[in-house]
Amino acid sequence: MNLRNFYRRSSTNLNKIMIILSGGTGTPKLLRGLKRIVPEENIYVIVNTAEDRWVSGNLVCPDIDTVLYTLTDRIDDDKWWGIKGDTFFTHEILKQLGYLEPMMLGEKDRSTHIFRSEIIRDGFTLTKSIEDLRAFFRIHAKVLPMSDDPVATMILTPRGRMHFQDFWIKNKGKPKVLDVIFDGLDKAEPTSEVKNALKFEDSVIIGPSNPITSIGPILGLKGIRSMLQKKKVIAISPIVGGKPVGGPAAKLMSAMGYDVSSAGVSQCYADFLDVLVVDHRDDCVIPEVSVLKTDTMMGSLERSIELAKFIVDLV
Ligand code: GDP
């Protein structure tokens, strides 16, 4: 479908508010396409914060930062974290001094963390710090942390409990996973900005993110699942050709008792899912869910735009 036909067919949807639940890789790939076909101010991204961690004195928010950098076209889209062309002198010198930071942080990226942490140290919320960053970066889309309360994803392994980042970065995702625990989630509240965004819209998109560690914490916040049960929910499966495109989703899904397939993804969302968009390479029949097939592999900006058009047509 060319862009002119798309605009003619989708003119009403282009002015609709698009609410999207996001992690830090698959959904940002969709956002880079979406922001090119709908007015950016109509995009509301509710982002996972359960992978956030204080590193070297500052709060690193991997999923939020990937969303911010994607919306400003500065994301390093080889790795899908950090800023294109960033330098890593501080991280390297700290390593020479004998302190290995748990995550690689570039200089430009680190300035985001310092700025955000100063706002939090001054007594303001994470949401306020992201509002300030959004204004500084001139981002028109709303970027909403799921909660201002701290939540930490912990992985239980035979070697003990470890932070998700230590499981994935330091231990390269190798330990057997016995359980996934979200410390603090039972006490965490969704922000009023998140609740308002969900209250006024009748449809919600769940991007192709890890259903356990990226979308799971958002769904675990008080009241979110019951709000979604009243809406049309469209999810895009992160499974392509029978496996995740990258990341630990397969290991985490099977550890939590889900089949590693689009059907398994739909089980994670079983109580509210209406439409599941799956890759055209995968066979998938799911009772009570409308399954739509298309090419969901977003290896380029053009592919992200094509998938975004497909989703906008559904909303
Ligand atoms: P994380 O916070 O870095 O774990 O990021 P997400 O949870 O947002 O994204 C990880 C998921 O994105 C993985 O499960 C991948 O399968 C999925 N993913 C990455 N690229 C693509 C893509 O091009 N298409 C689809 N359908 N899924 C993708």
Side-chain angles (χ1 to χ4, degrees), residues 22-29 32 48 51 62-63 66 80 164 168 207-211 213-215 236-240 243-250 277 279 295-299 304 307:
S22 180
T25 306
T27 308
K29 286 186 189 176
R32 77 173 162 181
N48 174 40
E51 289 172 25
D63 291 359
T66 297
W80 282 94
F164 174 80
W168 185 237
S209 283
N210 181 327
T213 48
S214 294
I215 305 300
I236 300 108
S237 173
I239 304 291
V240 176
K243 54 183 195 310
V245 179
V277 176
D279 190 76
D295 184 354
T296 70
M297 191 70 185
M298 294 174 282
S304 293
L307 183 58

Side-chain angles (χ1 to χ4, degrees), residues 6 27 43 46 64 69 76 137 141 145 197 220 238 243 256 280 298:
F6 169 73
T27 308
I43 303 174
I46 298 174
I64 292 176
Y69 301 153
D76 181 334
F137 290 142
K243 54 183 195 310
M256 299 311 282
H280 62 103
M298 294 174 282

Side-chain angles (χ1 to χ4, degrees), residues 134-164:
R134 200 173 71 86
F136 175 76
F137 290 142
R138 298 205 171 91
I139 295 172
H140 299 293
K142 289 266 185 223
V143 180
L144 307 175
M146 67 176 201
S147 177
D148 286 325
D149 303 318
V151 180
T153 302
M154 305 300 294
I155 307 293
L156 184 64
T157 77
R159 300 185 210 165
R161 266 164 64 102
M162 55 183 84
H163 193 281
F164 174 80

Side-chain angles (χ1 to χ4, degrees), residues 28-176:
K29 286 186 189 176
L30 180 66
L31 290 173
R32 77 173 162 181
L34 194 61
K35 81 167 196 139
R36 285 171 169 87
I37 58 167
V38 302
E40 205 189 293
E41 56 273 20
N42 289 358
I43 303 174
Y44 285 56
V45 197
I46 298 174
V47 194
N48 174 40
T49 58
E51 289 172 25
D52 296 6
R53 184 176 193 181
W54 289 84
V55 178
S56 304
N58 297 303
L59 183 62
V60 180
C61 303
D63 291 359
I64 292 176
D65 292 346
T66 297
V67 169
L68 295 175
Y69 301 153
T70 300
L71 291 170
T72 46
D73 294 325
R74 297 182 313 146
I75 186 72
D76 181 334
D77 56 5
D78 288 331
K79 304 191 299 245
W80 282 94
W81 57 264
I83 295 176
K84 226 182 283 178
D86 210 349
T87 54
F88 292 85
F89 298 115
T90 313
H91 180 82
E92 287 304 325
I93 293 168
L94 287 171
K95 198 180 349 183
Q96 287 164 21
L97 286 167
Y99 170 55
L100 182 61
E101 292 183 304
M103 306 164 85
M104 269 191 90
L105 305 176
E107 267 74 40
K108 291 182 187 169
D109 186 24
R110 197 182 293 268
S111 65
T112 303
H113 312 147
I114 295 172
F115 179 79
R116 165 173 48 230
S117 306
E118 283 302 311
I119 293 172
I120 294 170
R121 279 188 277 268
D122 279 346
F124 296 98
T125 60
L126 174 64
T127 298
K128 159 82 172 119
S129 75
I130 302 307
E131 263 310 286
D132 289 1
L133 281 166
R134 200 173 71 86
F136 175 76
F137 290 142
R138 298 205 171 91
I139 295 172
H140 299 293
K142 289 266 185 223
V143 180
L144 307 175
M146 67 176 201
S147 177
D148 286 325
D149 303 318
V151 180
T153 302
M154 305 300 294
I155 307 293
L156 184 64
T157 77
R159 300 185 210 165
R161 266 164 64 102
M162 55 183 84
H163 193 281
F164 174 80
Q165 303 294 354
D166 289 335
F167 165 75
W168 185 237
I169 300 171
K170 189 168 153 198
N171 289 289
K172 301 183 169 37
K174 284 187 187 145
K176 185 172 162 46

